Amino acid sequence: MNQLDALRQWTTVVADTGDFKQLAISRPQDATTNPSLILKAVQKPEYRPLLDEAVSKHAGKPLDEVIDRLLVRFGTEILSIIPGRVSTEVDARLSFDTAATVARGERIVALYRAEGIDTEKRLLIKVASTWEGIEAARALERQGIRTNLTLLFSFAQAVACGAAGVQLISPFVGRIYDWYKKSAGAQWDEAANAGANDPGVKSVRQIFEYYKQHGIKTEVMGASFRNVGQIRALAGCDLLTISPELLAELAASNEPLAHALDASAAPTADMQKVSYDEAGFRFALNEDAMATEKLAEGIRAFAADAVKLEKLMQESGK
């Protein structure tokens, strides 16, 4: 049994890609996309026609609507290949606007439903884990619209997401690792901070054990991996969303894989239940320099890629 098949025993494997033609190879249950992945895909010759088609078919409509239609086109193609759910992201430029995030999420759902997709079972709306984003997710969940809270770097964000009753969170393992490695500079010891000691892995483990200890139903999906060691150290997490390159690396290895996270096992620490109001959440996030910086950086990067996607569409329509 290769490591990818071994991982499937305990964890739902999710592909993190806009390149849906690769999905038949890795056979994931679910798939996630984001603006950066879609931008990367449409710059390839085999996917550029999807962008051109969206622009020509919906000429005259607002650019933000055309982008959503392109995202849904990619999502429906993905859903024709995988058996599970696809995550489609709300424009990161709305990360601090609850009402606008709700409205955009509702529109994306309506577009999927028009394609005959059972959105309650097969779609997750991705929203940034700001206070406003979490409140938007709370409102969407009340309508039966399932959400995936992304750009999550801190325990405080995870606590607030659990309290809001979101379907799933995506803690960014690799970006947490990146921050601590950069912060340490020449003092960074790669071997000492690998596997279970990786700061991104430790963050996900803390969240996973807190949720299980307190009966929080929100699913935990580790994301943004830099190496297969991080994935192995989280075997047993509810879900892991993995790039095609790392999926291939796991499939190529026949080394034994340990069950690292076990929801039925006793927690490593007794964690008291925590709750935040808005002021408490903002202060807790502010106290975490890594999470504050990476959240802001992530929103800026996704917003920049949304602008680049808009420019490609404008050039296509000329």
Side-chain angles (χ1 to χ4, degrees), residues 23-288:
L23 295 176
I25 300 170
S26 55
R27 299 180 294 107
Q29 174 69 21
D30 293 355
T32 54
T33 64
N34 63 45
S36 301
L37 292 172
I38 298 300
L39 176 65
K40 182 179 178 181
V42 297
Q43 292 180 88
K44 295 180 178 181
E46 61 265 42
Y47 294 112
R48 180 59 189 249
L50 273 68
L51 182 143
D52 294 335
E53 177 191 296
V55 172
S56 62
K57 188 174 181 180
H58 305 291
K61 288 187 168 61
L63 203 53
D64 59 89
E65 181 183 337
V66 181
I67 285 182
D68 282 351
R69 289 181 178 276
L70 177 64
L71 299 181
V72 171
R73 174 64 192 280
F74 268 87
T76 53
E77 291 285 354
I78 289 168
L79 288 173
S80 72
I81 301 167
I82 65 169
R85 305 170 295 187
V86 69
S87 291
T88 297
E89 193 152 344
V90 169
D91 192 325
R93 291 170 290 184
L94 304 179
S95 296
F96 301 102
D97 188 331
T98 297
T101 297
V102 170
R104 188 64 66 87
E106 290 171 340
R107 182 169 75 188
I108 291 170
V109 169
L111 291 173
Y112 271 106
R113 287 175 177 165
E115 296 298 323
I117 303 299
D118 182 345
T119 56
E120 190 164 347
K121 293 180 179 178
R122 305 209 67 198
L123 175 66
L124 295 172
I125 297 295
K126 283 179 81 173
V127 179
S129 300
T130 57
W131 178 261
E132 295 83 358
I134 295 168
E135 287 303 296
R138 186 195 301 272
L140 290 168
E141 292 281 354
R142 285 174 179 160
Q143 298 183 49
I145 296 172
R146 305 304 171 210
T147 56
N148 170 354
L149 273 289
T150 188
L151 293 174
L152 193 145
F153 304 98
S154 73
F155 183 68
Q157 289 172 293
V159 167
C161 288
V166 309
Q167 181 70 31
L168 179 149
I169 61 169
S170 296
F172 274 33
V173 177
R175 297 194 196 187
I176 295 172
Y177 161 88
D178 293 344
W179 189 93
Y180 281 101
K181 183 175 181 178
K182 182 179 179 181
S183 180
Q187 304 303 312
W188 179 259
D189 185 333
E190 187 67 35
N193 290 287
N197 293 322
D198 183 297
V201 169
K202 290 196 290 187
S203 177
V204 175
R205 178 182 286 275
Q206 180 191 24
I207 294 165
F208 180 85
E209 292 191 349
Y210 178 82
Y211 276 11
K212 304 313 175 189
Q213 188 172 334
H214 294 289
I216 296 168
K217 301 300 184 184
T218 298
E219 301 168 57
V220 181
M221 180 171 72
S224 172
F225 293 104
R226 298 293 178 257
N227 55 68
V228 292
Q230 293 171 335
I231 298 167
R232 295 181 187 119
L234 291 172
C237 192
D238 298 328
L239 308 94
L240 297 175
T241 182
I242 306 168
S243 70
E245 295 76 18
L246 293 180
L247 286 170
E249 194 171 336
L250 288 167
S253 174
N254 291 316
E255 292 294 316
L257 183 70
H259 191 179
L261 295 188
D262 186 351
S264 64
T268 57
D270 185 20
M271 291 179 277
Q272 290 189 338
K273 190 80 176 287
V274 182
S275 63
Y276 295 108
D277 59 10
E278 182 178 351
F281 172 86
R282 293 191 186 281
F283 186 77
L285 187 60
N286 185 73
E287 287 292 280
D288 189 332

Side-chain angles (χ1 to χ4, degrees), residues 7-19:
L7 180 64
R8 296 184 205 274
Q9 297 176 100
W10 314 300
T11 292
T12 297
V13 172
V14 182
D16 194 25
T17 184
D19 189 346

